[in-house]
Amino acid sequence: GRSFWSSDFTYPILAKDNVDYCSHHQLEKVRVLGHSMGGKTVMHLACSYPNYIHSFIVADIAPKKYSQHHQQILNGLGHLDFSQIGTRNEADKDLGTRLFLLKNLHWESKEKLGLRLNIDVLKNVNESIGEGLQPNDISIHSCLFVKGENSDYILENDTPIIKHHFP
C-alpha cells in the first residue's frame, strides 16, 4: 500500500507492475509470496513472465473464479470518515470490517488515519477481483500453495485446477 496507486486494476496489470519493479531494481529470478489478491497477482506473474520467477508461494487463494463477496466490506470501508475516527480503537468498534480494516489502517500524518489500499478503485472492480486464470495460463516453476486450516478459499476439489495451472 505504500507504492503508487493507479485507477486501473487487473491481475495482468499488477503482474506487469511487479515486472517493472524487478526491472527497475535489476532483480532476476525472484522468489515471490502472495496472499489473497497478491496470490492471484503472483500466479499471473508466474504464468505471464516466467523469466522473472525462480519460485513462488500462494497463500489462501486458488486460480479459480470467486464470486463477489467483499462488496459490502469495500463499500463500508469507502464510507469511513477519518475526520471522525481518531484512533485505532475507534476504528475497531465496527465488527463487520474489523480485521480487514485494521490490517490496512495507517497514520497518514500524526493526526490523521487512512487506508493503505486504494478503496475507490477496489469498490468499482469487484468483479475483476474474483477472476480466475485463463485455461492456457500455466507455469512450470516450483510453487507452494498454502491453505489456512479454517479457511474456505482453497478447497480439496481445487487441487485439479491448481495442478492444471501449476503442474
Side-chain angles (χ1 to χ4, degrees):
R2 292 184 180 118
S3 59
F4 70 93
W5 283 2
S6 170
S7 58
D8 298 321
F9 175 95
T10 65
Y11 291 112
I13 289 172
L14 295 177
K16 178 68 167 77
D17 288 344
N18 280 272
V19 167
D20 292 344
Y21 179 90
C22 289
S23 294
H24 177 78
H25 293 283
Q26 300 176 343
L27 302 174
E28 298 177 4
K29 299 294 182 187
V30 295
R31 292 170 174 88
V32 187
L33 164 66
H35 170 255
S36 191
M37 290 170 52
K40 290 269 187 148
T41 302
V42 168
M43 289 185 255
H44 279 272
L45 179 64
C47 292
S48 299
Y49 301 97
N51 293 337
Y52 285 89
I53 296 290
H54 176 274
S55 58
F56 60 100
I57 300 171
V58 175
D60 220 21
I61 198 84
K64 67 183 181 182
K65 180 176 176 62
Y66 288 85
S67 63
Q68 298 180 22
H69 62 279
H70 289 102
Q71 194 64 42
Q72 185 176 359
I73 293 172
L74 293 171
N75 286 339
L77 290 173
H79 287 95
L80 290 173
D81 182 359
F82 286 107
S83 68
Q84 301 297 313
I85 299 172
T87 68
R88 287 180 179 269
N89 286 338
E90 289 173 11
D92 190 34
K93 291 178 184 174
D94 182 354
L95 296 176
T97 60
R98 174 181 291 170
L99 294 175
F100 192 75
L101 168 64
L102 291 178
K103 72 178 180 180
N104 289 288
L105 201 61
H106 76 109
W107 288 102
E108 290 181 354
S109 67
K110 286 188 176 198
E111 297 83 29
K112 185 171 187 293
L113 285 167
L115 293 172
R116 288 205 190 281
L117 50 88
N118 192 342
I119 194 68
D120 293 328
V121 168
L122 294 178
K123 285 188 317 187
N124 294 318
V125 298
N126 194 36
E127 185 69 32
S128 297
I129 291 172
E131 285 301 315
L133 293 178
Q134 297 299 312
N136 61 340
D137 290 338
I138 296 174
S139 171
I140 59 169
H141 291 295
S142 296
C143 64
L144 173 67
F145 279 72
V146 178
K147 176 200 181 310
E149 180 179 9
N150 297 320
S151 173
D152 60 358
Y153 280 92
I154 298 179
L155 305 172
E156 283 297 319
N157 62 2
D158 293 330
T159 301
I161 192 170
I162 292 171
K163 287 186 176 184
H164 167 78
H165 292 288
F166 309 103

